[in-house]
């Protein structure tokens, strides 16, 4: 799609050869399924040169759900393997602009989400988590890069990429540069000392438009295009055709749910790959492709053998 | 125009009665000619309640010219009379977005202009001059107010007010909130401690659209609408129909010009109100309405009697 590449066996083999680690099951199972310039990041690693990771989260609810964890779990693993810095942007400003939410409430949600993110266990010496509403006003280089990007993106472009219209608030229209800025290492002088370092962004495929835009602009500022790793959506309880959504409690398992709540939600709402009748089910078995419980195990059960046994 | 009021004898009389000062010759001579809610500021002064002044400058050249000084000279006088805080915004970010200018160069111009502005002699304990590119990244409350305003202004509105189009960069489209933010006292917690204080903005009439927009939004944030005092344009050497422009050296006297350069420019380029022939001129005299030298004296010669003598 738009020039991204499939994560194929060759890339995985190179990954394993360079790092000496078996690729994460998200990679082996096609959960992270496509990339841009991942070979560039591997080249740098091979040459002993630096790169860094960037991911983010729009704090729209006080509890994160399982789907939100995918990128963070993957970043934690990438950070362990490559031993690189990671920056995590909490776009609380975005949530104020898009939703009926005031500044103070959005910052509160960012802090709540930060706790869940921290629990993923990143290297505390190499990880920087920030709220836009608090950090941009404490980092002049961030604002400068926002202006540099805002100067080079037109309304026509964001209209084409994001579908903005004339009745949208100007804050939405100028938001994409705010999400682009952390992909430029010069945004964080306290981490990179002004060096122009390659960025690698693991994210959901829905975030790709922001970074296609960023990749157009970075070279105009003398900075390497960020590389990308794209994940599929985490399926809702109701099935793999839907995306888990924080606004529909019955579609999602939240990190704040109790074990009992989780059990009830899965038993009551999880879409089953079972056949229509007991006889049919005995004859041909369940359809794992559409069975939510099995699909979730693909995300969370690391052991390939155990997963295969369960499938059968 | 759009609901602003003429500065009339009644306002000037009230001004003199309340302050005990003769109104500045800019007011007496209609150089500041119109206002919005100036009576509100006078009411506050009468009740011993606070207000503050806000003005600004877009640093497009390293030297300011005489026309740029008008608002600053007037602010200096207002600050002396009312003993109030003054904030001065240098919109170097605006110049990066509008012109072929990089961040570092724009900041340099802001510093050069700041020197000329400081020379006006403001109360150093009650004046805050700042570059947007440096200050916004050092003041989280500024960024928060930008987002609050950006949320409440649509592209349609800035299109209508400023004539922006689809091919404009998103930075231009979202700039008006940056100029609006200093009219909200909560932008400067280190001055106003979070209090919602009335703002009074002396500015050229061309800046009125920014503040009409600001006046629409301020009440939605629980903050009083800023009051305004509008000045006419300072005429170029070539005559009162034109505006002095920094990009045409022969139209302007710069603060860096030597006395000799100034003399030469005035002698060579100043539009004369003299008649076509010596005979005619002797008979009916010069036309001061269009004579640049006389018009400039209206701005810079305080003494009414002396001005009247020269006119005759």
């Amino acid at each position: 799609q738009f020039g991204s590449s499939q994560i194929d066996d060759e890339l995985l083999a190179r990954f394993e050869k360079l790092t000496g680690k078996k690729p994460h099951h998200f990679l082996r199972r096609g959960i992270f399924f496509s990339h841009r310039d991942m070979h560039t990041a591997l080249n740098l690693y091979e040459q002993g040169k630096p790169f860094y990771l960037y991911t983010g989260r729009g704090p729209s609810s006080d509890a994160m759900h399982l789907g939100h964890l995918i990128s963070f779990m993957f970043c934690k693993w990438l950070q362990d393997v490559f031993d690189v810095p990671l920056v995590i942007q909490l776009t609380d400003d975005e949530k104020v602009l898009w939703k009926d939410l005031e500044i103070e409430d959005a910052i509160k949600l960012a802090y709540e989400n930060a706790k869940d993110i921290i629990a993923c266990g990143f290297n505390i010496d190499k990880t920087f988590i920030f709220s836009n509403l608090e950090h941009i006003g404490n980092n002049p280089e961030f604002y400068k890069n926002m202006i540099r990007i805002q100067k080079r993106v037109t309304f026509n472009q964001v209209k084409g990429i994001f579908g903005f219209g004339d009745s949208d608030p100007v804050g939405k229209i100028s938001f994409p540069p705010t999400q682009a800025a952390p992909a430029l290492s010069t945004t964080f002088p306290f981490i990179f000392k002004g060096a122009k370092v390659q960025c690698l962004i693991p994210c959901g495929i829905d975030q790709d438009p922001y970074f296609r835009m960023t990749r157009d602009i970075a070279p105009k500022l003398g900075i390497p295009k960020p590389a990308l790793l794209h994940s599929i959506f985490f399926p809702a309880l109701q099935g793999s055709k839907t995306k888990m959504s924080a606004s529909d409690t019955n579609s999602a398992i939240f990190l704040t749910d109790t074990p009992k709540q989780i059990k009830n939600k899965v038993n009551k709402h999880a879409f089953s790959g079972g056949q229509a009748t007991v006889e049919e089910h005995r004859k041909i078995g369940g359809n794992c492709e559409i069975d939510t419980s099995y699909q979730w195990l693909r995300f969370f059960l690391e052991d390939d053998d155990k997963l295969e046994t369960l499938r059968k």
Side-chain angles (χ1 to χ4, degrees), chain A residues 44-70:
Chain A
L44 291 168
Y45 182 75
E46 191 170 25
Q47 296 158 22
K49 289 182 183 159
F51 69 91
Y52 74 104
L53 300 166
Y54 160 36
T55 196
R57 151 113 185 108
S60 54
S61 61
D62 58 355
M64 285 168 59
H65 62 58
L66 290 184
H68 297 140
L69 277 184
I70 306 304

Side-chain angles (χ1 to χ4, degrees), chain A residues 229-259:
Chain A
L229 286 167
H230 304 118
S231 72
I232 57 172
F233 295 133
F234 184 74
L237 276 161
Q238 285 71 18
S240 56
K241 296 254 189 305
T242 56
K243 185 185 168 185
M244 185 167 272
S245 161
S247 46
D248 177 3
T249 17
N250 286 330
S251 82
I253 302 294
F254 292 93
L255 303 185
T256 48
D257 286 345
T258 62

Side-chain angles (χ1 to χ4, degrees), chain A residues 18-60:
Chain A
L18 284 176
T19 65
K21 310 268 184 202
K22 184 173 167 186
H24 192 277
H25 66 274
F26 286 174
L27 288 168
R28 302 197 307 268
R29 296 179 194 159
I31 287 168
F32 276 84
F33 69 105
S34 107
H35 75 98
R36 296 177 189 275
D37 287 339
M38 185 60 202
H39 278 292
T40 305
L42 291 179
N43 291 344
L44 291 168
Y45 182 75
E46 191 170 25
Q47 296 158 22
K49 289 182 183 159
F51 69 91
Y52 74 104
L53 300 166
Y54 160 36
T55 196
R57 151 113 185 108
S60 54

Side-chain angles (χ1 to χ4, degrees), chain A residues 210-275:
Chain A
Y210 282 99
F211 301 118
R212 284 208 307 278
M213 186 199 85
T214 313
R215 284 167 54 87
D216 281 346
I217 289 164
K220 296 179 188 167
L221 300 174
I223 287 179
K225 290 182 180 194
L228 286 161
L229 286 167
H230 304 118
S231 72
I232 57 172
F233 295 133
F234 184 74
L237 276 161
Q238 285 71 18
S240 56
K241 296 254 189 305
T242 56
K243 185 185 168 185
M244 185 167 272
S245 161
S247 46
D248 177 3
T249 17
N250 286 330
S251 82
I253 302 294
F254 292 93
L255 303 185
T256 48
D257 286 345
T258 62
K260 200 177 156 193
Q261 282 178 311
I262 295 173
K263 191 181 160 194
N264 285 341
K265 276 192 192 177
V266 172
N267 284 343
K268 194 162 169 198
H269 298 289
F271 187 83
S272 163
Q275 304 302 337

Side-chain angles (χ1 to χ4, degrees), chain A residues 59 92 95-96 101-111 133:
Chain A
D92 44 9
K95 293 302 162 191
V96 170
L101 197 65
E102 286 306 321
I103 300 268
E104 296 71 21
D105 302 318
I107 294 176
K108 242 178 253 170
L109 296 181
Y111 271 77
L133 287 168

Side-chain angles (χ1 to χ4, degrees), chain A residues 161-180:
Chain A
I161 303 173
F162 303 100
F164 295 144
D166 286 14
S167 56
D168 272 317
V170 298
K172 280 192 186 184
I173 292 164
S174 66
F175 177 73
T178 310
Q179 184 160 330

